[in-house]
Amino acid sequence: MKRYSICPFCFERINLHKVDFRCANAPGRCSPENDVVLANFLGVSSHITNKVVKIPLATTVWEKLKAWLWAPREVICGVCHEKTSLRLCPRCHSELPYTIGEYQDLIFAVIGAKEAGKSHYISVLIEKVRNEIGAHFECSLQPLNDETIRRYREDFYNPVFRKKEVIQATLSARADSRVRVPLIYTLSFKKKRKIRDVVTIVFFDTAGEDLDSEDTLRTENKYIYNSSGIILLLDPLQLPAVRVELPANTPLPGENSETEYLLERVAKLIRMAHGKRPTYLIKIPLAVAFSKMDALEPLLEGSSLNYPSQHDGIFDLNEFESVNGEMESRMREWAGSLIQSLEHNFKSHAFFGFTALGCNPHGSQKIDKLRPRRVEEPFLWLLWKHKLIGDQTFLSQLLLKLRPFKISVFMLGVVFGLVISVLLVGIGEVLLSPTYVYEKTDELPVRLVPDDSVPRRFPVTGAEKQPSTLPSVPIEPPKGVVKAVPSLQSPVEFVRAYYADINGGDVESAIRKWKSPNEVQLRTLIEESQWVKINRVTLLTRERSDSVEVSVEVSGKQKSQRTQQKWAGTLVLEKVAGEWKIFEMQLSEVLPISPSPARKLIMTGAGVGLRKEPRSARQGNVVTQLQIGSVVSPLEKITKKGEAWYKITTSGGQEGWVHSKYTMPLDSNNQEQAYVDVAKRKLSSQADFGTLVELCNFLNRVSQQVSAPARAAELKSLYLAALQRSLEQIPRDQHDKPRYSNWLKRQRAKIEYNESTGGWVVKK
Ligand SMILES: [Zn+2]
Ligand SMILES: [Zn+2]
């Protein structure tokens, strides 16, 4: 039994030893009265209800000790002398859940900007948790009081699931006292028909405009700063960078700039309330979830965000990382400043994408077909963060098993420390032999590369070279040091292993992976192929069954072909004698997107390397350098390790890869605006001398191409601003260095020397 808890109504931290009670007797037997405290909280002038009963004052030493040791569970009404166990929050006089203090109380705050889809999210999430998640994770979500049942039915379930209508925007909690009724649930986890864990979960539907960092006393604000997890909903359709990329006929909500400030306001509020310095990193886990991802399908080709999530019984870290990484890189493109704000404010955050309705409700107010996707993922992440569900790692599974015994990570650490130090004594011998490290690459699932820091006793060949020269028999690591192949492979690992066989030329192993192989065809295929690698592999069905479908995308080059090709499709796997076998495979070639004249990119970075391959650090990888404002045509876009890269051709016909963070979509109807945007973006950053010179050259060039006089003048003034900034970057004593003196000479007509400051300035 805990001493302190958070009231799920007013979200005030309360001492459970000092609660009030409400008389439970029938109104005829004990006369009701006006509860001023509750009336105040509900925002009404009076609220007639049963009497409030205070805990009797402790007078003797024994009573005082008892009051300190145990929280009171019942008291006797001073008027009717009946026992009552209805506990009230001492602050707001709302009736506390009977489970309060017995279990972990988690308040999950769902917040979002106006029209971000909070109400839809809550309605669909609760249904999802009650049904599917309940089945997958052996847990059950139960409403804790009648108000929760009623409010969920009336305000959430009925509109979405029965009437199939769009829920109107949440009213401000200040405007409507009904919104003040939170949805309170208990989520209980079972293990072998026994209760393992129970948590109280509270959802409070708060309107974005209610957030005000100055007023820490308001209920809506306490809900956030006393929460154990925050789900911040963002509507990508409200972000300007997304709107320009979408097909022209997409129905859109109003543009909304408050999204960016919302996060800052939340962070400021939490720090104010807990009296923390502005540099303090907030520890409440924050799930940043993009809603309405269905509308973005045209931009998300081949992304796992287009598929339902696969968390079944465990929180799948691989899946989580891939979604988190992809969303983060998207977000860098769409709202880079938000990422920075996140990193400066929240210690633990992750990105998600979901759709609550599965269809775009803007325009029509009807939901034609309800197809929610990935709504549960942010919620599962928060449960995982609070160690209520486990992931695939051994430690996590172990901790979950030990939960009923309340064993902490710290104690486990002590035990492991002892075990390891005992083992180390015996293992000293093994440590002197060559050690192996894992190098994870995209080409192969796992490659073993000897660690150079340890002297080698035997030469290793092949392993460090390109995959095409890998020997057909992989090098076995010394027994007992690392195991490269797990005993039972997941379907995804199996598919990766199959392509590793083809890439490595291991015909026999590839043949063994088919249920009924066509040997001749396979041999020809493997001989024909120069190299092949997997770009993406996703499990489409549940892993537990004996037949699964896997979607893959592979690139490769055949010896007879001049260029590389790309294939995508599905594999059907069947479990035969405990091993996966390929039953059927349907792949078709993906043709590269032809450069469309309508959609181009403009380079926003100075001297950005055009690279042979989509990776930053590699010598000899740079084809050429692209100047600020260069207009390029994208051919292909990939996301790699959470970073997005474009394959592009320059106007001069050179091909290569650029990192998406140095690009901006260019609206061909409004190129001039793009020039202004690029310049403003650069001028608002910490640009160095070289960058500013490049920016000046770019602005000088384009201001002469522009026909509208107002635009030309705007570009001209940006040019002068960039010129002034470039002059400020020149150190006072280095005016005669060639790098600077050449620039000063070229700009001589526009600048003058200021005697008093000893520096060059733009002429007035
Ligand atoms: Zn309260
Ligand atoms: Zn009474």
Side-chain angles (χ1 to χ4, degrees), residues 581-654:
K581 298 275 179 193
I582 301 168
F583 174 68
E584 200 182 40
M585 182 187 273
Q586 277 185 342
L587 293 188
S588 53
E589 196 183 340
V590 183
L591 296 169
I593 325 155
S594 59
S596 79
R599 194 165 291 176
K600 291 198 170 182
L601 299 173
I602 184 163
M603 301 302 300
T604 59
V608 175
L610 178 67
R611 295 166 189 281
K612 282 184 204 148
E613 285 167 73
R615 58 180 72 176
S616 350
R618 188 168 240 207
Q619 283 180 340
N621 188 16
V622 176
V623 181
T624 181
Q625 291 199 325
L626 300 169
Q627 305 293 304
I628 292 183
S630 313
V631 176
V632 297
S633 311
L635 300 171
E636 196 185 331
K637 186 182 182 186
I638 61 158
T639 304
K640 219 179 151 183
K641 290 176 186 151
E643 300 194 309
W645 290 82
Y646 281 110
K647 186 172 194 183
I648 56 119
T649 51
T650 65
S651 52
Q654 276 175 307

Coordinates of all heavy atoms in Angstrom, one line a residue, residues 581-654:
K581 N 10.4 -23.2 -44.6 CA 10.8 -23.5 -46.0 C 10.0 -22.6 -46.9 O 8.9 -22.2 -46.5 CB 10.3 -25.0 -46.3 CG 11.0 -26.0 -45.5 CD 12.4 -26.4 -46.1 CE 13.0 -27.5 -45.2 NZ 14.4 -27.7 -45.5
I582 N 10.6 -22.2 -48.0 CA 9.9 -21.4 -49.0 C 8.9 -22.2 -49.7 O 9.3 -23.2 -50.3 CB 10.9 -20.7 -49.9 CG1 11.9 -19.9 -49.2 CG2 10.1 -19.8 -50.9 CD1 13.0 -19.4 -50.0
F583 N 7.6 -21.8 -49.7 CA 6.6 -22.6 -50.4 C 6.3 -21.9 -51.7 O 6.2 -22.6 -52.7 CB 5.3 -22.6 -49.5 CG 4.2 -23.2 -50.2 CD1 4.2 -24.6 -50.4 CD2 3.1 -22.5 -50.5 CE1 3.1 -25.2 -51.1 CE2 2.0 -23.1 -51.2 CZ 2.0 -24.4 -51.4
E584 N 6.3 -20.6 -51.7 CA 6.0 -19.9 -52.9 C 6.6 -18.5 -52.9 O 6.8 -18.0 -51.8 CB 4.5 -19.7 -53.0 CG 3.9 -19.4 -54.3 CD 2.4 -19.2 -54.3 OE1 1.9 -18.5 -53.3 OE2 1.7 -19.6 -55.2
M585 N 7.0 -18.0 -54.1 CA 7.7 -16.7 -54.1 C 7.1 -16.0 -55.3 O 7.1 -16.5 -56.4 CB 9.2 -16.9 -54.3 CG 10.0 -15.7 -54.3 SD 11.7 -15.9 -54.7 CE 12.3 -16.3 -53.1
Q586 N 6.7 -14.8 -55.1 CA 6.2 -13.9 -56.2 C 6.9 -12.6 -56.2 O 6.5 -11.7 -55.4 CB 4.7 -13.8 -56.1 CG 4.0 -15.0 -56.7 CD 2.5 -14.8 -56.7 OE1 2.0 -13.9 -56.1 NE2 1.8 -15.6 -57.5
L587 N 7.9 -12.4 -57.0 CA 8.6 -11.1 -57.1 C 8.4 -10.5 -58.4 O 8.4 -11.2 -59.4 CB 10.1 -11.3 -56.8 CG 10.5 -11.8 -55.4 CD1 12.0 -11.7 -55.3 CD2 9.9 -11.0 -54.3
S588 N 8.3 -9.2 -58.5 CA 8.3 -8.6 -59.8 C 9.2 -7.4 -59.7 O 9.5 -6.8 -58.7 CB 6.9 -8.2 -60.2 OG 6.4 -7.4 -59.1
E589 N 9.7 -7.0 -60.9 CA 10.7 -6.0 -60.9 C 10.1 -4.6 -60.7 O 9.0 -4.3 -61.2 CB 11.4 -6.0 -62.3 CG 12.7 -5.2 -62.3 CD 13.4 -5.1 -63.6 OE1 13.1 -6.0 -64.5 OE2 14.2 -4.2 -63.7
V590 N 10.8 -3.8 -59.9 CA 10.3 -2.5 -59.6 C 11.1 -1.6 -60.6 O 12.3 -1.5 -60.6 CB 10.7 -2.1 -58.2 CG1 10.1 -0.7 -57.9 CG2 10.1 -3.1 -57.2
L591 N 10.4 -0.8 -61.4 CA 11.0 0.0 -62.3 C 11.3 1.4 -61.6 O 10.5 1.9 -60.8 CB 10.2 0.2 -63.6 CG 10.0 -1.1 -64.3 CD1 8.9 -0.9 -65.4 CD2 11.3 -1.6 -64.9
P592 N 12.4 2.0 -61.9 CA 12.8 3.2 -61.3 C 11.7 4.3 -61.7 O 11.2 4.3 -62.8 CB 14.2 3.6 -61.8 CG 14.4 2.7 -63.0 CD 13.5 1.5 -62.8
I593 N 11.5 5.2 -60.8 CA 10.6 6.3 -61.0 C 11.2 7.2 -62.1 O 12.4 7.6 -61.9 CB 10.3 7.2 -59.8 CG1 10.3 6.3 -58.5 CG2 9.1 8.0 -59.9 CD1 10.6 7.1 -57.3
S594 N 10.5 7.6 -63.1 CA 11.1 8.5 -64.1 C 11.1 9.9 -63.5 O 10.1 10.2 -62.8 CB 10.3 8.4 -65.4 OG 9.0 8.8 -65.1
P595 N 12.1 10.7 -63.8 CA 12.1 12.0 -63.2 C 10.9 12.8 -63.6 O 10.7 12.9 -64.8 CB 13.4 12.6 -63.7 CG 13.9 11.8 -64.8 CD 13.3 10.4 -64.6
S596 N 10.2 13.3 -62.7 CA 9.0 14.1 -63.1 C 9.4 15.6 -63.1 O 10.0 16.0 -62.2 CB 7.8 13.8 -62.2 OG 8.0 14.6 -61.0
P597 N 9.0 16.3 -64.1 CA 9.4 17.7 -64.2 C 8.7 18.5 -63.1 O 9.1 19.6 -62.7 CB 8.9 18.1 -65.6 CG 7.9 17.1 -66.0 CD 8.2 15.9 -65.3
A598 N 7.5 18.0 -62.7 CA 6.7 18.8 -61.7 C 7.4 18.8 -60.4 O 7.3 19.9 -59.7 CB 5.3 18.2 -61.6
R599 N 8.0 17.7 -59.9 CA 8.5 17.7 -58.6 C 10.0 17.7 -58.6 O 10.7 16.8 -59.0 CB 8.0 16.5 -57.8 CG 8.2 16.6 -56.3 CD 7.4 15.6 -55.6 NE 5.9 15.9 -55.7 CZ 5.0 15.1 -55.1 NH1 5.3 14.0 -54.6 NH2 3.7 15.5 -55.2
K600 N 10.6 18.8 -58.1 CA 12.0 18.9 -58.1 C 12.4 19.3 -56.6 O 11.6 19.6 -55.8 CB 12.5 19.9 -59.1 CG 12.3 19.5 -60.5 CD 13.2 20.3 -61.5 CE 13.1 19.6 -62.8 NZ 13.9 20.3 -63.8
L601 N 13.7 19.2 -56.4 CA 14.3 19.6 -55.1 C 15.2 20.7 -55.3 O 15.9 20.9 -56.3 CB 15.0 18.4 -54.5 CG 14.3 17.1 -54.2 CD1 15.2 16.0 -53.8 CD2 13.2 17.3 -53.2
I602 N 15.3 21.6 -54.2 CA 16.3 22.6 -54.3 C 17.3 22.4 -53.1 O 16.8 22.0 -52.0 CB 15.6 24.0 -54.2 CG1 16.6 25.1 -54.3 CG2 14.8 24.2 -52.9 CD1 16.0 26.5 -54.6
M603 N 18.5 22.6 -53.4 CA 19.6 22.3 -52.4 C 19.6 23.5 -51.4 O 19.7 24.6 -51.8 CB 20.9 22.1 -53.0 CG 21.0 21.0 -54.0 SD 20.6 19.4 -53.3 CE 21.8 19.2 -52.0
T604 N 19.5 23.1 -50.1 CA 19.6 24.2 -49.1 C 20.9 24.3 -48.4 O 21.1 25.2 -47.6 CB 18.5 24.0 -48.0 OG1 18.7 22.7 -47.4 CG2 17.1 24.0 -48.6
G605 N 21.8 23.3 -48.7 CA 23.1 23.3 -48.0 C 24.2 23.8 -48.9 O 24.0 23.8 -50.2
A606 N 25.3 24.3 -48.4 CA 26.4 24.8 -49.2 C 27.4 23.7 -49.4 O 27.8 23.0 -48.4 CB 27.1 26.0 -48.5
G607 N 27.8 23.5 -50.6 CA 28.9 22.5 -50.9 C 28.5 21.1 -50.5 O 29.3 20.4 -49.9
V608 N 27.3 20.7 -50.7 CA 26.8 19.4 -50.3 C 27.4 18.4 -51.2 O 27.3 18.5 -52.4 CB 25.3 19.3 -50.2 CG1 24.8 17.9 -49.9 CG2 24.7 20.3 -49.3
G609 N 27.9 17.3 -50.7 CA 28.5 16.3 -51.5 C 27.4 15.4 -52.2 O 26.5 15.0 -51.6
L610 N 27.6 15.3 -53.6 CA 26.8 14.4 -54.3 C 27.5 13.0 -54.2 O 28.6 12.9 -54.7 CB 26.6 14.8 -55.8 CG 25.8 13.9 -56.7 CD1 24.3 13.9 -56.2 CD2 25.9 14.4 -58.1
R611 N 26.9 12.0 -53.6 CA 27.6 10.8 -53.3 C 27.3 9.6 -54.2 O 26.1 9.5 -54.6 CB 27.4 10.5 -51.8 CG 28.0 11.5 -50.9 CD 27.6 11.4 -49.5 NE 28.0 12.6 -48.8 CZ 29.2 12.8 -48.3 NH1 30.1 11.9 -48.5 NH2 29.5 13.9 -47.7
K612 N 28.3 8.7 -54.3 CA 28.0 7.5 -55.1 C 27.1 6.6 -54.4 O 26.3 5.9 -55.0 CB 29.3 6.8 -55.4 CG 30.2 7.4 -56.5 CD 31.4 6.6 -56.7 CE 32.6 7.4 -57.3 NZ 33.9 6.9 -56.8
E613 N 27.2 6.6 -53.1 CA 26.3 5.7 -52.3 C 25.6 6.5 -51.2 O 26.2 7.5 -50.8 CB 27.2 4.6 -51.7 CG 27.6 3.6 -52.6 CD 28.7 2.7 -52.0 OE1 28.3 1.9 -51.1 OE2 29.8 2.9 -52.3
P614 N 24.5 6.1 -50.8 CA 23.8 6.8 -49.7 C 24.4 6.7 -48.4 O 23.8 6.1 -47.5 CB 22.4 6.3 -49.8 CG 22.5 4.9 -50.3 CD 23.7 4.9 -51.2
R615 N 25.6 7.1 -48.2 CA 26.2 7.2 -46.8 C 27.2 8.3 -46.8 O 27.8 8.7 -47.8 CB 26.9 5.8 -46.5 CG 28.0 5.4 -47.5 CD 28.6 4.1 -47.1 NE 27.6 3.0 -47.4 CZ 27.9 1.7 -47.2 NH1 29.1 1.4 -46.7 NH2 27.0 0.8 -47.4
S616 N 27.3 8.9 -45.6 CA 28.1 10.2 -45.5 C 29.6 9.9 -45.5 O 30.4 10.5 -46.2 CB 27.7 11.0 -44.3 OG 26.5 10.4 -43.7
A617 N 30.1 9.1 -44.5 CA 31.5 9.0 -44.3 C 32.1 7.9 -45.2 O 31.9 6.7 -44.9 CB 31.8 8.7 -42.9
R618 N 32.7 8.2 -46.3 CA 33.5 7.3 -47.0 C 34.3 8.0 -48.0 O 33.8 8.8 -48.8 CB 32.5 6.3 -47.7 CG 33.2 5.2 -48.4 CD 32.2 4.1 -48.8 NE 32.5 2.9 -48.2 CZ 32.2 1.7 -48.7 NH1 31.5 1.7 -49.8 NH2 32.5 0.6 -48.1
Q619 N 35.6 7.7 -48.1 CA 36.5 8.4 -49.0 C 36.2 8.0 -50.4 O 35.9 6.9 -50.7 CB 37.9 8.1 -48.6 CG 38.3 8.9 -47.4 CD 39.8 8.6 -47.0 OE1 40.3 7.6 -47.4 NE2 40.3 9.5 -46.2
G620 N 36.4 9.0 -51.3 CA 36.2 8.7 -52.7 C 34.7 8.5 -53.1 O 34.4 8.0 -54.2
N621 N 33.8 8.8 -52.2 CA 32.4 8.6 -52.4 C 31.8 9.8 -53.1 O 30.7 9.7 -53.6 CB 31.7 8.3 -51.1 CG 30.3 7.8 -51.2 OD1 29.9 7.5 -52.3 ND2 29.6 7.9 -50.1
V622 N 32.4 10.9 -53.0 CA 31.8 12.2 -53.5 C 32.1 12.4 -55.0 O 33.2 12.3 -55.5 CB 32.4 13.4 -52.7 CG1 31.8 14.7 -53.3 CG2 32.0 13.3 -51.2
V623 N 31.0 12.5 -55.7 CA 31.0 12.7 -57.2 C 31.4 14.2 -57.5 O 32.3 14.5 -58.2 CB 29.7 12.4 -57.9 CG1 29.8 12.6 -59.4 CG2 29.3 11.0 -57.5
T624 N 30.6 15.1 -56.8 CA 30.8 16.5 -57.0 C 30.2 17.2 -55.9 O 29.5 16.6 -55.0 CB 30.2 17.0 -58.4 OG1 30.5 18.4 -58.5 CG2 28.7 16.8 -58.4
Q625 N 30.3 18.5 -55.8 CA 29.7 19.3 -54.7 C 28.6 20.2 -55.3 O 28.8 20.8 -56.3 CB 30.7 20.1 -53.9 CG 31.6 19.2 -53.2 CD 32.4 19.9 -52.1 OE1 32.8 21.0 -52.2 NE2 32.6 19.2 -51.0
L626 N 27.5 20.2 -54.6 CA 26.3 21.0 -55.1 C 26.3 22.3 -54.4 O 26.4 22.3 -53.2 CB 25.1 20.2 -54.9 CG 25.0 18.8 -55.6 CD1 23.8 18.0 -55.1 CD2 24.9 19.0 -57.1
Q627 N 26.0 23.3 -55.1 CA 25.9 24.7 -54.5 C 24.5 24.9 -54.0 O 23.6 24.3 -54.4 CB 26.2 25.7 -55.6 CG 27.5 25.5 -56.3 CD 28.7 25.8 -55.4 OE1 28.8 26.8 -54.8 NE2 29.6 24.8 -55.2
I628 N 24.5 25.9 -53.1 CA 23.1 26.3 -52.5 C 22.3 26.7 -53.7 O 22.7 27.4 -54.6 CB 23.3 27.6 -51.7 CG1 24.0 27.2 -50.4 CG2 21.9 28.2 -51.3 CD1 24.1 28.4 -49.4
G629 N 21.0 26.3 -53.7 CA 20.1 26.7 -54.7 C 20.1 25.9 -56.0 O 19.3 26.2 -56.9
S630 N 21.0 24.9 -56.0 CA 21.0 24.0 -57.2 C 19.6 23.3 -57.3 O 19.2 22.8 -56.2 CB 22.1 23.0 -57.2 OG 23.3 23.6 -56.8
V631 N 19.0 23.2 -58.4 CA 17.8 22.5 -58.6 C 18.1 21.1 -59.2 O 18.8 21.0 -60.2 CB 16.8 23.3 -59.5 CG1 15.5 22.5 -59.7 CG2 16.5 24.6 -58.8
V632 N 17.6 20.1 -58.5 CA 17.9 18.7 -58.9 C 16.6 17.9 -59.0 O 15.6 18.3 -58.4 CB 18.9 18.0 -57.9 CG1 20.2 18.7 -57.8 CG2 18.3 17.9 -56.5
S633 N 16.7 16.8 -59.8 CA 15.5 16.0 -59.9 C 15.6 14.7 -59.2 O 16.6 13.9 -59.4 CB 15.3 15.6 -61.4 OG 15.4 16.8 -62.2
P634 N 14.7 14.4 -58.3 CA 14.8 13.1 -57.5 C 14.4 11.9 -58.4 O 13.5 12.0 -59.2 CB 13.9 13.3 -56.4 CG 12.9 14.3 -56.9 CD 13.6 15.2 -57.8
L635 N 15.2 10.8 -58.3 CA 14.9 9.6 -59.0 C 14.3 8.6 -58.0 O 13.5 7.7 -58.4 CB 16.2 9.0 -59.6 CG 16.9 9.9 -60.6 CD1 18.2 9.3 -61.0 CD2 16.1 10.1 -61.8
E636 N 14.8 8.6 -56.8 CA 14.5 7.5 -55.9 C 14.7 8.1 -54.5 O 15.6 9.0 -54.3 CB 15.4 6.4 -56.1 CG 15.0 5.1 -55.5 CD 16.1 4.0 -55.7 OE1 16.8 4.1 -56.8 OE2 16.2 3.1 -54.9
K637 N 14.0 7.5 -53.5 CA 14.2 8.0 -52.1 C 14.3 6.7 -51.3 O 13.5 5.8 -51.4 CB 13.1 8.9 -51.7 CG 13.3 9.5 -50.3 CD 12.1 10.3 -49.9 CE 12.4 11.0 -48.6 NZ 11.2 11.7 -48.1
I638 N 15.3 6.7 -50.4 CA 15.3 5.5 -49.5 C 15.6 6.0 -48.1 O 16.0 7.1 -47.8 CB 16.5 4.5 -49.8 CG1 17.8 5.2 -49.7 CG2 16.3 3.9 -51.2 CD1 18.9 4.2 -49.5
T639 N 15.2 5.2 -47.1 CA 15.4 5.5 -45.7 C 16.4 4.5 -45.2 O 16.1 3.3 -45.3 CB 14.1 5.5 -44.9 OG1 13.3 6.4 -45.5 CG2 14.4 6.0 -43.5
K640 N 17.5 4.9 -44.6 CA 18.6 4.0 -44.2 C 19.0 4.4 -42.8 O 19.4 5.6 -42.6 CB 19.7 4.2 -45.2 CG 20.4 2.9 -45.5 CD 21.5 3.2 -46.5 CE 22.6 2.1 -46.3 NZ 23.7 2.3 -47.1
K641 N 19.0 3.5 -41.9 CA 19.3 3.8 -40.5 C 18.7 5.1 -40.0 O 19.3 5.9 -39.4 CB 20.9 3.9 -40.4 CG 21.5 2.5 -40.5 CD 23.0 2.7 -40.5 CE 23.6 1.3 -40.8 NZ 24.9 1.4 -41.4
G642 N 17.4 5.2 -40.4 CA 16.7 6.4 -39.9 C 17.0 7.7 -40.6 O 16.5 8.7 -40.3
E643 N 17.8 7.6 -41.7 CA 18.1 8.8 -42.4 C 17.6 8.7 -43.9 O 17.7 7.6 -44.5 CB 19.6 9.1 -42.5 CG 20.1 9.2 -41.1 CD 21.5 9.8 -41.1 OE1 22.3 9.3 -41.8 OE2 21.7 10.8 -40.4
A644 N 17.0 9.8 -44.4 CA 16.4 9.7 -45.7 C 17.4 10.2 -46.7 O 18.1 11.3 -46.5 CB 15.1 10.5 -45.8
W645 N 17.6 9.5 -47.9 CA 18.5 9.9 -48.9 C 17.7 10.0 -50.2 O 16.9 9.1 -50.5 CB 19.6 8.9 -49.1 CG 20.6 8.9 -47.9 CD1 20.5 8.3 -46.7 CD2 21.9 9.6 -47.9 NE1 21.6 8.5 -46.0 CE2 22.4 9.3 -46.7 CE3 22.6 10.3 -48.8 CZ2 23.7 9.8 -46.3 CZ3 23.8 10.8 -48.5 CH2 24.4 10.6 -47.2
Y646 N 18.1 10.9 -51.1 CA 17.5 11.0 -52.4 C 18.6 10.6 -53.4 O 19.7 11.1 -53.3 CB 17.1 12.4 -52.7 CG 15.8 12.9 -52.1 CD1 15.8 13.8 -51.1 CD2 14.6 12.4 -52.6 CE1 14.6 14.2 -50.6 CE2 13.4 12.8 -52.1 CZ 13.4 13.7 -51.1 OH 12.2 14.1 -50.5
K647 N 18.2 9.8 -54.4 CA 19.0 9.6 -55.6 C 18.6 10.7 -56.6 O 17.4 10.8 -56.9 CB 18.8 8.2 -56.2 CG 19.8 8.0 -57.3 CD 19.8 6.5 -57.7 CE 21.0 6.2 -58.6 NZ 20.9 4.9 -59.1
I648 N 19.5 11.5 -57.1 CA 19.1 12.6 -57.9 C 19.9 12.7 -59.2 O 21.0 12.1 -59.3 CB 19.2 13.9 -57.1 CG1 20.7 14.1 -56.6 CG2 18.3 14.0 -55.9 CD1 21.4 15.3 -57.1
T649 N 19.4 13.5 -60.1 CA 20.3 13.9 -61.2 C 20.4 15.4 -61.2 O 19.4 16.1 -60.9 CB 19.8 13.5 -62.6 OG1 18.4 13.9 -62.7 CG2 19.8 12.0 -62.9
T650 N 21.6 15.9 -61.5 CA 21.7 17.4 -61.5 C 21.3 17.8 -62.9 O 21.1 17.0 -63.8 CB 23.2 17.7 -61.3 OG1 23.9 17.2 -62.4 CG2 23.7 17.1 -60.0
S651 N 21.2 19.2 -63.1 CA 20.8 19.7 -64.4 C 21.9 19.3 -65.4 O 21.6 19.3 -66.6 CB 20.6 21.2 -64.3 OG 21.8 21.8 -63.7
G652 N 23.1 19.1 -64.9 CA 24.2 18.7 -65.9 C 24.2 17.2 -66.2 O 25.1 16.7 -66.9
G653 N 23.2 16.5 -65.6 CA 23.1 15.0 -65.9 C 23.9 14.1 -65.0 O 24.0 12.9 -65.2
Q654 N 24.6 14.7 -63.9 CA 25.3 13.8 -63.0 C 24.3 13.1 -62.0 O 23.4 13.8 -61.5 CB 26.3 14.6 -62.2 CG 27.6 14.8 -63.0 CD 28.6 15.7 -62.3 OE1 28.2 16.8 -61.9 NE2 29.8 15.2 -62.1

